[in-house]
Amino acid sequence: MTPQANPISFQTVDIALEDRSYGIHIGAGLLNASDSFRDLPAAHSAMIVTNDTVAPLYADRLQRSLESRFRQIHMVCLPDGESHKTWESLNLIFDALLARGCDRKTVLFALGGGVVGDMTGFAAASYMRGVPFVQVPTTLLAQVDSSVGGKTAINHPLGKNMIGAFYQPQMVLCDLETLNTLPPRELSAGLAEVIKYGPIADMGFFDWIEANMGSLMAREPAALAHAVQRSCEIKAWVVGQDEREAGLRAILNFGHTFGHAIEAGMGYGAWLHGEAVGCGMVMAARLSQLLGGVDAAFVQRLTRLVQAAGLPTVAPVLDTHDNLGRYLALMRVDKKSEAGEIKFVVIDRLGSAVVRSAPDALVAQVIAESVRT
Ligand code: NAD
Ligand code: GLY
């Protein structure tokens, strides 16, 4: 397909961060339109960072759309998967940048899901002490969450996303058409992060997701467009108030304390990030109930919605001898932990979340119930 001269219709959600502000452009076919990139700074060269699954699907389209803006367009193709979100993959990006003589104005394009986006962002933050980068997310999860807000990272064997930086992209370009090639399991994983925004910020959106889960699972364009736009609006609103997670931004981690433990405990890639978050949200909702923030009816409602999205709601056993001990050990290696005290995002009333610690007995109860039922 050749790049289109005429602009394609799209919506823009603005993320207001003073001199680091940018637009999140959302529309179908944006990858085919060279016009999509008209606001980027002038530069001689671009580096597309992608992986061996996404490259055959979309790298040509992006490359053609960039041709009118950049004299040299390079590409580096990383191995696919969460298990490759590592120093080794990051170094492949640096190797490619240096081998091709990329300079401080070279623009990096992250073409792929959250793994590519997080690693490209971290490479951009540190190559020559910082070069511009653009997020071109091609998974639902990346379009509704990871491409927005400037968190970049790689994993460490002892903890998820432990090495990274806050570094904002120049723009985010969500081409909704890319979601058509997403495997069903990945679509479900993205829906976990969409569902997340309801209980923490907007119960009207939660009602809408419940009413439209069939359309979302069927990938109806209008439903996906609304889900991406509303999710980005909520995330932009949160990040605009607390870019570096001094407080409020941590609510975006609803379900993630339990979820990250599941991901690390099972081995990165065994459960998808979104699957772990889906199950983790059900666990965090039950903890919220035990702490008095929500009632049993809400926990059941959330559980049904997570199930309807095709996500697991029964937690895995991480250690047959000491499951609780293993969960607790993994949850302590969470960035929200302070002096070894585990912090959870809990719902204090519907549409509102807080970060707090919880009595060990309640955490133990949640874990015991969650692996059983
Ligand atoms: P992913 O990047 O591994 O992508 C999922 C799979 O889909 C991969 O195999 C990928 O190659 C493939 N894929 C991507 N686009 C495709 C397409 N259009 N068609 C077919 N296949 C496609 O996983 P993800 O769910 O996108 O992202 C998860 C990662 O995001 C985790 O590492 C998580 O920690 C991170 N994350 C970061 C933030 C943040 O704020 N930075 C937020 C949430 C999650
Ligand atoms: N995904 C959590 C955050 O961006 O803060």
Side-chain angles (χ1 to χ4, degrees):
M1 208 180 288
T2 51
Q4 299 184 6
N6 295 327
I8 286 171
S9 101
F10 61 90
Q11 306 294 321
T12 298
V13 175
D14 291 313
I15 179 154
L17 293 168
E18 298 175 344
D19 61 342
R20 296 172 312 292
S21 300
Y22 53 94
I24 306 157
H25 306 301
I26 303 162
L30 291 183
L31 259 183
N32 300 318
S34 51
D35 210 43
S36 300
F37 302 101
R38 64 176 180 262
D39 296 335
L40 289 180
H44 178 78
S45 64
M47 171 72 75
I48 299 172
V49 183
T50 185
N51 70 26
D52 44 28
T53 303
V54 178
L57 295 169
Y58 299 112
D60 276 0
R61 281 185 215 185
L62 178 58
Q63 178 146 3
R64 278 200 288 270
S65 291
L66 296 178
E67 268 163 7
S68 60
R69 292 201 57 86
F70 298 95
R71 290 196 29 211
Q72 291 183 346
I73 302 167
H74 309 290
M75 190 164 85
V76 56
C77 201
L78 306 175
D80 186 8
E82 185 72 38
S83 61
H84 294 287
K85 195 177 171 183
T86 57
W87 279 116
E88 288 72 23
S89 298
L90 189 66
N91 258 328
L92 292 177
I93 306 177
F94 295 135
D95 290 349
L97 288 166
L98 287 163
R100 274 108 194 219
C102 292
D103 59 30
R104 300 179 90 168
K105 289 193 168 173
T106 300
V107 184
L108 271 56
F109 288 81
L111 176 69
V115 170
V116 163
D118 281 12
M119 283 198 291
T120 308
F122 191 26
S126 44
Y127 183 67
M128 295 198 176
R129 302 201 178 95
V131 293
F133 87 110
V134 172
Q135 289 275 14
V136 187
T138 60
T139 63
L140 180 62
L141 185 141
Q143 294 189 357
V144 300
D145 193 351
S146 64
S147 65
V148 174
K151 276 190 181 176
T152 75
I154 55 169
N155 296 330
H156 187 280
L158 295 180
K160 169 118 177 117
N161 292 336
M162 279 293 145
I163 322 286
F166 286 99
Y167 193 68
Q168 300 295 341
Q170 300 286 314
M171 65 185 278
V172 180
L173 193 95
C174 302
D175 184 340
L176 298 167
E177 276 182 4
T178 61
L179 303 181
N180 291 331
T181 54
L182 209 54
R185 200 176 155 200
E186 301 291 349
L187 182 80
S188 293
L191 288 170
E193 303 280 16
V194 176
I195 293 169
K196 165 185 87 177
Y197 291 111
I200 64 167
D202 181 356
M203 282 305 286
F205 186 44
F206 189 81
D207 296 341
W208 180 88
I209 301 166
E210 273 183 325
N212 290 277
M213 185 50 82
S215 306
L216 290 166
M217 291 290 276
R219 303 180 201 219
E220 287 179 17
L224 286 174
H226 180 69
V228 174
Q229 182 170 344
R230 186 65 194 132
S231 300
C232 288
E233 283 168 356
I234 295 170
K235 182 147 187 188
W237 174 78
V238 172
V239 173
Q241 295 174 76
D242 181 20
E243 180 184 5
R244 296 177 76 92
E245 202 166 307
L248 177 73
R249 184 169 178 166
I251 66 169
L252 296 172
N253 273 308
F254 178 53
H256 287 57
T257 311
F258 291 110
H260 282 172
I262 293 173
E263 270 189 279
M266 294 298 285
Y268 295 121
W271 277 44
L272 300 180
H273 176 70
E275 292 171 338
V277 167
C279 187
M281 284 193 294
V282 172
M283 297 169 84
R286 174 71 176 131
L287 184 62
S288 307
Q289 183 198 349
L290 295 175
L291 292 166
V294 298
D295 59 15
F298 172 72
V299 180
Q300 280 166 14
R301 223 180 129 188
L302 179 69
T303 306
R304 277 197 299 272
L305 189 59
V306 170
Q307 281 166 344
L311 293 161
T313 55
V314 176
V317 173
L318 300 181
D319 187 317
T320 46
H321 300 296
D322 182 13
N323 193 44
L324 174 62
R326 181 79 178 127
Y327 266 91
L328 293 176
L330 288 165
M331 290 194 295
R332 266 186 213 106
V333 193
D334 185 273
K335 289 187 287 312
K336 293 184 296 305
S337 294
E338 285 173 28
E341 186 177 53
I342 303 167
K343 299 284 170 104
F344 298 89
V345 179
V346 294
I347 308 302
D348 57 340
R349 64 189 153 78
L350 291 182
S352 164
V354 291
V355 181
R356 56 165 291 179
S357 55
D360 287 350
L362 298 189
V363 177
Q365 183 179 341
V366 168
I367 291 169
E369 289 174 1
S370 302
V371 296
R372 226 182 284 129
T373 50

